[in-house]
Amino acid sequence: MTDFQTLLVETPSDGVLLVRLNRPEALNALNSTLLSELGGLLDKAGGDDAVRVVVLTGSEKAFAAGADIKEMSDKSYAQMMKLDFFTDAARRIEQFRKPIIAAVSGYALGGGCELAMMCDFIIASETARFGQPEINLGVAPGIGGTQRLTRFVGKAKAMDMILTARMMDAAEAERAGLVSRVVPADKLIETALEAAAKIAGHSPLAVLMNKELVEAAYETTLTTGVALERRLFHSLFAFEDQKEGMAAFVEKRKPDFKGR
Ligand code: CAA
């Protein structure tokens, strides 16, 4: 998993894959190479038991400054439609079943903000700036920005940001519920990796189910969501990991989850 043009990939601790977007010359703008490399990496990581959680980050200056405007600028409607631009990349990220944490420093704009929102949660540095400035280019968000931002921050702030193209700083993003925590810039990766290591130490089966359940909250009514939660909660008792987790609590020791 090391040979990429646009990504730097490391395994900083057991079960944790750290992926850095790496197009510094374009502030990590999402071009088709980057999106296809990221999609391919996630496809592989999804089937690799050694990977429990992914941390996705950019540089200090930019998580990603959007979709690559230079790559898109000359495309026709017919080409965008035939290529089904962004659909495959978005699908591969959305369907990744393991947790992905976005560690955002600097600009997360347009497709960059959308990519961060497709992750399971966002940890931001104090320098992070979020925005959907597509309207400045005469277009609209195309990887879910109008839908996800509205669900995260509500209609008033989403309309404000999308129609005026104003950016939100990290403090406002935390207040609005877009990011889970804000940390000093020099603690961003450390904090995200600590969160990832914590997740990687849990039962991988319980992690998958918990992620699935929180996602279901966006797609179902409360009654259906709670019923699903109850069933999956019951079903977790079929796994050895539940016996191990509860036995470890009773015996006052650390659980040793096997993912069975
Ligand atoms: N696409 C392609 N190249 C980009 C880019 C993008 N989204 N964002 C920045 N770059 C390039 C710049 O063109 C520049 O390249 P050159 O040195 O070759 O000129 C380089 O990255 C550095 O950028 P700047 O000189 O502009 O850096 P800055 O610090 O002055 O400004 C910025 C930073 C405010 C983020 C500014 O770069 C900017 O406004 N970028 C575009 C943001 C944007 O509009 N994003 C939405 C894209 S459309 C989209 O994402 C659609 C969708 O929903 C799918």
Side-chain angles (χ1 to χ4, degrees):
M1 287 195 194
T2 48
D3 215 9
F4 297 104
Q5 285 177 50
T6 62
L7 306 175
L8 297 172
V9 181
E10 297 168 53
T11 308
S13 64
D14 268 3
V16 178
L17 196 67
L18 173 63
V19 181
R20 289 179 196 272
L21 306 179
N22 186 38
R23 293 191 70 216
E25 71 289 357
L27 302 183
N28 294 332
L30 311 175
N31 65 0
S32 41
T33 306
L34 186 152
L35 288 170
S36 109
E37 288 189 342
L38 182 60
L41 175 70
L42 293 179
D43 285 349
K44 271 204 188 130
D48 180 352
D49 281 348
V51 178
R52 300 273 186 96
V53 48
V54 174
V55 174
L56 184 62
T57 194
S59 66
E60 250 180 76
K61 179 161 181 189
F63 176 73
D68 192 314
I69 300 167
K70 292 167 190 165
E71 187 181 64
M72 283 185 299
S73 60
D74 289 334
K75 293 236 180 326
S76 67
Y77 176 31
Q79 284 172 314
M80 293 298 270
M81 207 172 142
K82 269 196 259 175
L83 288 168
D84 206 3
F85 219 71
F86 298 130
T87 301
D88 182 54
R91 180 190 54 74
R92 293 160 101 182
I93 299 162
E94 285 160 350
Q95 293 185 356
F96 187 62
R97 294 174 68 209
K98 299 174 183 179
I100 313 190
I101 303 170
V104 174
S105 191
Y107 297 111
L109 301 178
C113 186
E114 292 167 307
L115 177 59
M117 290 190 292
M118 277 191 272
C119 295
D120 295 308
F121 61 98
I122 302 173
I123 300 181
S125 92
E126 285 163 349
T127 65
R129 303 193 74 193
F130 298 89
Q132 296 289 160
E134 287 87 345
I135 202 155
N136 286 336
L137 304 167
V139 293
I143 326 181
T146 57
Q147 306 305 300
R148 289 200 175 87
L149 187 65
T150 308
R151 282 166 166 79
F152 276 111
V153 305
K155 181 180 168 189
K157 276 190 191 287
M159 281 288 192
D160 180 1
M161 288 173 70
I162 289 167
L163 295 180
T164 69
R166 92 169 167 89
M167 293 183 212
M168 204 183 241
D169 66 18
E172 185 181 2
E174 189 183 24
R175 279 199 307 277
L178 178 58
V179 310
S180 69
R181 6 180 170 162
V182 178
V183 296
D186 61 352
K187 294 272 181 288
L188 177 69
I189 300 301
E190 182 185 323
T191 308
L193 291 179
E194 271 170 23
K198 189 105 188 144
I199 295 168
H202 292 148
S203 159
L205 297 164
V207 167
L208 290 184
M209 289 231 192
N210 277 281
K211 168 166 168 159
E212 215 170 298
L213 283 167
V214 176
E215 281 176 344
Y218 277 97
E219 308 286 347
T220 59
T221 62
L222 183 61
T223 306
T224 308
V226 171
L228 176 68
E229 183 196 84
R230 191 74 31 77
R231 280 291 161 259
L232 289 190
F233 169 70
H234 293 160
S235 74
L236 282 160
F237 284 72
F239 296 133
E240 283 176 26
D241 282 355
Q242 172 268 328
K243 303 287 172 286
E244 169 61 12
M246 294 195 178
F249 175 81
V250 173
E251 293 159 19
K252 299 188 189 298
R253 61 173 172 83
K254 217 171 159 266
D256 177 18
F257 293 118
K258 297 275 198 296
R260 295 197 291 249

